Amino acid sequence: MNGWTRRAFLLRLLPAALGGWLSACRAVLRSDRTPTPVPPTPTPLPSPAEIVTAALEALRREDPDALWALLTPASQAALSREELRAMWRDTLNTVGVQTVEIEPLALIWEGETAQARYRIRWKTALFGDLEAEGSLVLRLLPGGWRVVWRDALLWPALEEGERFQVEYIIPERANLYDREGQSLAVQGEWVEIGVVPGQIADEGLLLQRLARATGLPVETIRSRYASGRPDWYMPILTLPADRLAPFAADLEATPGVVLRPRSGRIYAGVAPQTVGIVGKIPAEELEAWRRRGYRGDEWVGRMGLEAWGEPYLAGIHGGRLFIQPARTENAAPRLIAERPFVPGRSITTTLKRGFQAQVEEIFGDRTGAVVVMDPRNGDLLALVSGPGFDPNALLGPNSPLPSPGAFLNRATQGLYPPGSIFKIVMMAAALTHGFTAGSTFQDPGYWDGLGPGYRKWCWLRSGHGLVDLPTALTVSCNVAFYQIGFALYQQDPDIVPRMARAFGLGVPTGIRGVPEEAGLVPDAAWRTQQGGRPWSVGDAVNMAIGQSDLLVTPLQIARMLAAVANGGILYRPRLVLRIGPAPGQPEETFPPEAQGRLPISEEALAVIRQGLLGVTTHPRGTATWVFRGMPFPVAGKTGTAETIPGRPPHAWFACYAPAGQPELVVVVVVEHGGQGSAVAAPMARQILEAYYGLPRTPLPLPPAQADR
């Protein structure tokens, strides 16, 4: 009988012996009735199988702390918890491990030693699945079973002191193009301009030539090298090689100036929030990127299409995985796995680069957004967000930070109350719930439907008089829409919120390539969730003119108006046309995608279109004075959305053209710009003229009382 078997036999006899002894004790206790506490039953130590299970689970969960707690005291003394964490993290990051799978195979238990066999599988970003069989060694100590540390627990093929090493093969980043094949972002040649202070012979000449080449003030240039030691290289600015070419010869001949060429991203300079930028991997993200198979010093997409398209543009890294011996004098690295790189895949967008540049010029330095969409398929021809920034200026040393909020893509992420643009939705709700094109409304300039103490005013204080429904939209009569909002609330408080969502508001549009906000269509359920006062008829009346808590993005308004223009089809806004091919990966295209239809009849749509056409053609239309002389009819809607008390309202204008056969939707919003007709509508006209190659006609001065 061996030691383990004999010990097991004795343990089986012990409970019987203890049971007799305890029975006698209980008899004595009962006879003298003296209460004596019974000692607690000792908690049995975990078995080897339980320790193995816990250790393998720690490997699977990538939990070095849990594994360290299971190590023998000798192992813990030789390898601290912090050292194990660092070793573990470095190993998994180097190989690019994404998930770990563990399969127990066998447990051999002999005396005070146990050994567990298992199969481990690493799923890696760079080398696919790596699989090996390993073993855990356990020792029985006074405190129970413990795991003996060996470096092979990191990976079975590792001997003590060995580590993984990767040789990366990194493909060139692919390009971004507009719909006509013009570049938006390409790999090109840059030149970093620097100064070595101790080599300067004529500082005046150096500063003169650098100022001419870079456009920087002399004081700025001097400040960028003044703190350097004589032998230090001090970077000044990085410029595209073609831009620096006219000055390169003079700079190379200037003592103290050093030019360092490098390859990198070059941007066309349009739609920066949409195209995006690349940047170095931040330290706090380094581990996550290495797990994706990156070396860690690459420039990666940080926003916009560059970020969304990272898996395509960057291609797939190639490389070779080695085990580096602990001592290298007589041992060569052992090759474990290798994979060839896959080239990056270009992305072609729906944007028109030249037109985008024109729209940006028209919008100027204002804060807000412009969306230009083809209503026939959802294609986005221009996306402008102001203020903008120069992406090329952010790629070199001493890069100036853009203005606050410049990275926000206001076209897709800006949230605004829509103001009177929302009257399009209200009119659709009215026409499907009892109102007709012939319904009339009396507007004396105010409305007392909520009681004399809650009078609400029309923007035209003198009133519009008697108006029918399409005319109410044309003249943007607040009083008419107050009455509509009040009446629909009495029927069902959810009528308008349901219609708004059916028009694509309050939900993401599904655009690919850039982030977006869903906006907000408030209702009674939402208000209850907020824990505030209940939703009331007053809220519904305010929402009828696009106020209350209602929030939309310019992209949602463009999609909504496109559906009105094209007969009721809500298209997914399309920004990405196609992704180019790569070996083993065919070209990927994104055809137009209809996501739904507006829940109104063609007759109702015709009434809405009639009202929108009147905005730019009717003598009382709120933007007629802006569109006089246009060679084709334009249908649109002005909006002036109140915001923070004491600040000017947001200026909106949304239109489609030509009104009879719509080819273009234009939405303009200017934050705190003032009246929609006076500020946004004139820019929309100039955008239409730019698209159709028309001269930008002088715009008439706004009337004395700007319309809304």
Side-chain angles (χ1 to χ4, degrees):
M1 182 180 296
N2 61 34
W4 181 87
T5 307
R6 184 171 60 254
R7 187 181 301 112
F9 177 74
L10 292 173
L11 288 174
R12 284 197 298 270
L13 292 177
L14 184 59
L18 287 175
W21 179 78
L22 288 174
S23 297
C25 290
R26 289 193 192 100
V28 172
L29 290 174
R30 278 196 300 269
S31 65
D32 60 14
R33 302 185 180 275
T34 302
T36 302
V38 178
T41 302
T43 302
L45 295 175
S47 67
E50 291 172 310
I51 297 297
V52 167
T53 299
L56 294 182
E57 181 65 11
L59 288 173
R60 187 192 66 79
R61 293 199 323 265
E62 303 177 29
D63 188 348
D65 288 348
L67 182 61
W68 190 86
L70 298 173
L71 298 182
T72 65
S75 294
Q76 291 177 342
L79 180 70
S80 71
R81 187 190 303 266
E82 291 70 25
E83 288 172 331
L84 177 57
R85 287 174 184 165
M87 189 187 306
W88 194 310
R89 183 172 59 249
D90 185 64
T91 299
L92 297 183
N93 290 349
T94 297
V95 183
V97 177
Q98 296 179 315
T99 60
V100 178
E101 296 178 357
I102 299 283
E103 179 187 354
L105 297 178
L107 174 61
I108 302 172
W109 178 6
E110 180 67 27
E112 297 178 351
T113 302
Q115 186 177 60
R117 302 285 303 171
Y118 62 92
R119 182 178 293 112
I120 184 169
R121 182 181 298 108
W122 281 350
K123 293 185 175 294
T124 76
L126 199 57
F127 302 105
D129 288 1
L130 302 176
E131 187 174 303
E133 288 191 11
S135 64
L136 279 166
V137 175
L138 287 80
R139 294 274 188 267
L140 179 60
L141 303 175
W145 290 94
R146 289 291 182 266
V147 176
V148 178
W149 171 259
R150 297 179 302 139
D151 286 0
L153 290 177
L154 294 171
W155 183 254
L158 288 175
E159 300 292 338
E160 293 305 303
E162 292 185 334
R163 296 293 177 263
F164 283 108
Q165 180 181 359
V166 176
E167 290 182 358
Y168 289 87
I169 305 173
I170 301 175
E172 185 175 80
R173 193 173 184 85
N175 298 333
L176 277 160
Y177 299 105
D178 81 343
R179 65 188 304 117
E180 296 165 346
Q182 296 189 66
S183 65
L184 297 174
V186 298
Q187 290 301 104
E189 294 302 316
W190 288 79
V191 178
E192 184 178 275
I193 307 167
V195 169
V196 179
Q199 298 178 4
I200 298 174
D202 184 340
E203 187 175 32
L205 178 64
L206 176 141
L207 290 170
Q208 177 188 10
R209 289 179 173 177
L210 286 178
R212 187 165 59 244
T214 65
L216 295 173
V218 167
E219 297 77 13
T220 301
I221 297 171
R222 183 186 287 113
S223 70
R224 293 183 179 178
Y225 68 77
S227 62
R229 293 180 180 177
D231 59 341
W232 283 7
Y233 169 84
M234 305 296 290
I236 304 299
L237 190 68
T238 301
L239 294 174
D242 58 350
R243 178 177 162 185
L244 188 65
F247 312 100
D250 283 346
L251 292 177
E252 288 173 346
T254 305
V257 174
V258 177
L259 303 182
R260 292 182 173 179
R262 67 170 176 83
S263 62
R265 209 64 163 164
I266 297 178
Y267 293 97
V270 298
Q273 296 92 346
T274 298
V275 173
I277 55 174
V278 294
K280 294 181 179 179
I281 297 173
E284 64 272 15
E285 298 178 16
L286 182 58
E287 182 173 337
W289 282 95
R290 292 190 68 191
R291 290 295 188 96
R292 292 171 60 177
Y294 283 68
R295 187 170 59 200
D297 59 353
E298 301 91 337
W299 288 61
V300 299
R302 301 303 297 161
M303 61 176 291
L305 285 161
E306 289 276 32
W308 176 87
E310 178 71 20
Y312 309 108
L313 297 168
I316 300 174
H317 288 23
R320 298 194 297 171
L321 177 65
F322 296 94
I323 289 180
Q324 187 69 36
R327 296 183 178 181
T328 58
E329 52 268 19
N330 296 316
R334 304 196 305 276
L335 181 65
I336 300 299
E338 63 181 322
R339 187 172 79 171
F341 75 89
V342 177
R345 303 169 66 187
S346 64
I347 295 177
T348 299
T349 71
T350 59
L351 300 176
K352 296 184 64 149
R353 192 180 82 176
F355 176 57
Q356 172 81 29
Q358 288 180 290
V359 178
E360 290 179 8
E361 178 192 354
I362 291 167
F363 196 72
D365 60 359
R366 299 171 178 86
T367 299
V370 178
V371 178
V372 183
M373 176 184 285
D374 187 334
R376 298 166 297 184
N377 53 23
D379 280 6
L380 294 165
L381 307 179
L383 281 174
V384 176
S385 177
F389 62 92
D390 179 3
N392 291 318
L394 299 179
L395 300 182
N398 305 306
S399 301
L401 292 176
S403 58
F407 291 137
L408 179 70
N409 193 336
R410 287 173 166 80
T412 63
Q413 296 174 287
L415 292 173
Y416 307 97
S420 292
I421 302 287
F422 190 69
K423 291 172 182 175
I424 297 171
V425 174
M426 292 301 302
M427 192 163 171
L431 289 168
T432 54
H433 289 84
F435 291 86
T436 68
S439 298
T440 58
F441 310 87
Q442 183 64 44
D443 173 19
Y446 60 89
W447 181 68
D448 287 339
L450 299 179
Y454 300 94
R455 173 169 290 186
K456 304 188 74 65
W457 296 92
C458 187
W459 67 265
L460 184 62
R461 289 302 180 94
S462 61
H464 292 97
L466 187 66
V467 295
D468 59 19
L469 190 52
T471 304
L473 187 63
T474 291
V475 301
S476 201
C477 175
N478 285 354
V479 168
F481 286 94
Y482 290 146
Q483 295 180 49
I484 293 171
F486 183 85
L488 294 179
Y489 181 88
Q490 303 304 318
Q491 290 187 45
D492 181 351
D494 286 331
I495 288 175
V496 173
R498 280 199 304 268
M499 186 62 72
R501 295 186 186 100
F503 269 62
L505 306 183
V507 293
T509 68
I511 184 174
R512 296 184 182 90
V514 291
E516 65 170 330
E517 292 292 332
L520 172 63
V521 174
D523 57 16
W526 171 82
R527 180 63 60 76
T528 299
Q529 292 174 356
Q530 302 306 303
R533 59 179 177 78
W535 186 258
S536 69
V537 65
D539 295 305
V541 168
N542 283 335
M543 194 163 78
I545 61 166
Q547 297 291 163
S548 184
D549 297 299
L550 186 64
L551 292 172
V552 301
T553 67
L555 180 65
Q556 289 174 330
I557 294 298
R559 179 175 179 243
M560 176 188 83
L561 194 61
V564 172
N566 66 30
I569 302 173
L570 278 168
Y571 282 106
R572 178 198 296 267
R574 186 165 61 158
L575 177 61
V576 179
L577 267 181
R578 60 182 172 272
I579 296 168
Q585 298 173 311
E587 179 179 85
E588 187 175 352
T589 60
F590 298 92
E593 183 179 344
Q595 296 176 306
R597 294 192 66 90
L598 301 181
I600 58 175
S601 66
E602 178 56 39
E603 292 76 18
L605 271 176
V607 177
I608 294 172
R609 293 193 200 104
Q610 177 188 345
L612 295 174
L613 181 60
V615 169
T616 65
T617 59
H618 192 280
R620 299 169 66 190
T622 55
T624 297
W625 62 275
V626 175
F627 287 89
R628 290 194 184 102
M630 281 293 283
F632 49 79
V634 176
K637 184 70 192 77
T638 54
T640 303
E642 296 176 359
T643 58
I644 303 171
R647 296 208 61 187
H650 298 325
W652 281 94
F653 189 73
C655 66
Y656 58 84
Q661 293 182 316
E663 300 173 340
L664 214 64
V665 166
V666 178
V667 173
V668 179
V669 60
V670 181
E671 291 185 19
H672 305 294
Q675 304 290 344
S677 60
V679 177
M683 282 190 283
R685 172 175 177 152
Q686 289 191 335
I687 291 167
L688 289 171
E689 290 170 342
Y691 183 81
Y692 287 105
L694 302 172
R696 294 185 199 170
T697 56
L699 301 176
L701 294 174
Q705 186 176 24
D707 300 312
R708 298 166 77 89

